[in-house]
Amino acid sequence: MTDTMRAYRLRDWQDPGFDEVAIPEPGYGEVRLRVAGVGLCHSDVLFLELPAGILPYEVPWTLGHEIAGRVDAVGPGVDDIEPDDAVAVSCMSTCGKCKWCQRGADNYCVNTGRGRGFGLDGGLSSHIVVARRHLLPIGDLDPVRAAPLTDAGATSYHAVRRVLPKLRPGSTAVVIGVGGLGGYAVQWLRMLSPARIVAVESREERLPVAMQLGAADAILAGEGLSRRLKEVVGDDGADAVLDFVGTDQTMNAAIRNAATMGSVGLVGQGFGTAPLKYGGIAFDCDVFIPQGYTIAELADVLRLARTGDVVIETELFDFDQTPAAYQRLTEGTLQGRAVVLPHA
Ligand code: NAD
Ligand code: ZN
């Protein structure tokens, strides 16, 4: 093996591109993976576009935080995993010691401002070194298909889990933005709750897909969204609304269509705002902004995927096509998660 590899990096703010870097060696408790697939997430678009001084990271780093692959080499102290085992990477770099980790909320670990693919080297390279405790063996699940589950699948699962106690027979749950994350949110709701699911999408071609994934109704975003959503949801409102877009319009539609004692999750980083005022939201309805997922939630998602009941939508790209794949994601023309194959 040569001792350098090509990596797709944020070389400087607003300057992504390929660079030659050292192939990392696994240290104590670490494992080196041969990366099989890397899902591209809409939050990467922020990393690609934001100027210096906004995010608390230092450049350069290798992009790509949805990572799965096969064990290539193990460091000292790792004795329960073997070369060629298929594994998924939990991208957040949790410490295991802080008060959040000890509460089981490792997605809010004091370290998780940064993780693999955001501030630390991610998966867009032939190899990556990861602490053993951030790896989940996936058995016979194809690592190329598992990659998008490690954020799109797991972050949407975290949001859905939070609203499950609100959903009972007769409930309605709304999912706004049925792309990478939202497509899984629809499926988790179908698999785990009795709710009728209403999907909202701005791309017409995604409406039938939303129905195939489990929505009972799918409506086109755009003018009069809040009113049109009310016509479908009904005057009682939705017991859960998950917004994977986060513009002024979607946030307002979410808040105005949530039921008394319902729940609104604002997951999308569209930088919109919505006024909260007495009379503007149903009584006792909570609004939350979640971030990421716990490693336990990722383990659940991988188990659900191994049942074979989860539709994993992907569009595959060779490594050289990484910039083109990001372009497609930014334009909003993908019909599934873009998964880059670093060895193709
Ligand atoms: P995506 O591009 O795959 O999906 C977004 C979907 O929303 C697309 O299908 C798009 O057509 C649709 N859409 C766009 N504008 C819309 C509108 N006004 N109304 C309805 N639908 C609309 O993106 P993704 O990777 O699924 O990410 C979704 C959002 O979640 C992004 O803002 C991303 O930054 C954010 N995100 C948050 C976290 C977190 O932990 N909070 C983690 C990952 C991603
Ligand atoms: Zn911690």
Side-chain angles (χ1 to χ4, degrees):
M1 195 155 82
T2 55
D3 50 11
T4 65
M5 62 181 182
R6 224 151 57 104
Y8 192 77
R9 320 193 86 201
L10 198 60
R11 299 176 294 201
D12 195 355
W13 296 103
Q14 299 174 319
D15 179 30
F18 287 103
D19 242 348
E20 202 67 20
V21 298
I23 294 178
E25 286 299 324
Y28 189 87
E30 292 181 333
V31 176
R32 184 171 62 213
L33 308 184
R34 185 177 195 275
V35 179
V38 182
L40 306 187
C41 174
H42 215 109
S43 47
D44 287 335
V45 175
L46 297 180
F47 306 147
L48 296 174
E49 291 181 351
L50 287 177
I54 296 183
L55 294 171
Y57 313 137
E58 279 155 35
V59 286
W61 81 81
T62 301
L63 290 155
H65 57 267
E66 293 186 341
I67 311 157
R70 290 190 182 274
V71 174
D72 175 57
V74 300
V78 177
D79 56 9
D80 65 336
I81 201 164
E82 293 189 356
D84 219 35
D85 285 356
V87 290
V89 177
S90 172
C91 61
M92 279 168 289
S93 164
T94 59
C95 76
K97 292 178 256 181
C98 71
K99 69 172 180 180
W100 300 110
C101 281
Q102 295 196 346
R103 280 173 67 171
D106 41 283
N107 52 320
Y108 299 123
C109 173
V110 294
N111 275 347
T112 52
R114 64 188 67 215
R116 304 242 152 246
F118 43 103
L120 301 175
D121 285 340
L124 284 170
S125 54
S126 65
H127 293 79
I128 185 173
V129 164
V130 182
R132 165 66 186 91
R133 64 195 175 80
H134 295 146
L135 293 178
L136 289 167
I138 57 173
D140 55 8
L141 196 62
D142 174 1
V144 172
R145 288 162 52 72
L149 299 173
T150 65
D151 184 23
T155 296
S156 58
Y157 182 79
H158 176 84
V160 165
R161 264 192 88 209
R162 164 90 185 239
V163 302
L164 285 181
K166 307 273 182 169
L167 300 174
R168 49 185 67 208
S171 286
T172 297
V174 175
V175 174
I176 303 176
V178 188
L181 274 67
Y184 291 108
V186 169
Q187 298 189 72
W188 308 140
L189 287 163
R190 163 176 58 78
M191 295 170 84
L192 303 172
S193 92
R196 172 178 73 118
I197 303 162
V198 176
V200 177
E201 241 295 330
S202 57
R203 285 187 286 162
E204 200 152 10
E205 69 272 20
R206 292 294 294 169
L207 300 178
V209 178
M211 310 274 287
Q212 282 156 22
L213 297 176
D217 292 284
I219 68 173
L220 198 58
E223 210 169 312
L225 175 62
S226 192
R227 175 184 47 78
R228 290 186 292 112
L229 187 54
K230 194 168 288 296
E231 284 166 13
V232 177
V233 165
D235 287 340
D236 284 347
D239 294 304
V241 185
L242 296 175
D243 179 3
F244 291 93
V245 179
T247 59
D248 290 1
Q249 187 190 53
T250 60
M251 288 168 68
N252 275 286
I255 283 168
R256 288 166 61 181
N257 279 284
T260 299
M261 296 174 71
S263 204
V264 177
L266 303 173
V267 191
Q269 295 156 331
F271 300 109
T273 55
L276 273 186
K277 60 178 183 189
Y278 199 94
I281 183 167
F283 290 116
D284 262 323
C285 177
D286 44 62
V287 178
F288 65 100
I289 299 181
Q291 178 63 39
Y293 56 86
T294 67
I295 198 161
E297 288 166 336
L298 176 57
D300 283 356
V301 161
L302 294 167
R303 271 185 223 111
L304 285 167
R306 289 180 69 180
T307 65
D309 287 343
V310 180
V311 176
I312 300 174
E313 299 179 277
T314 58
E315 272 197 51
L316 304 183
F317 293 86
D318 292 353
F319 198 26
D320 282 341
Q321 296 175 303
T322 304
Y326 272 128
Q327 181 63 31
R328 295 270 315 278
L329 174 64
T330 308
E331 290 164 3
T333 57
L334 291 165
Q335 289 307 326
R337 198 63 152 180
V339 177
V340 172
L341 312 174
H343 293 272

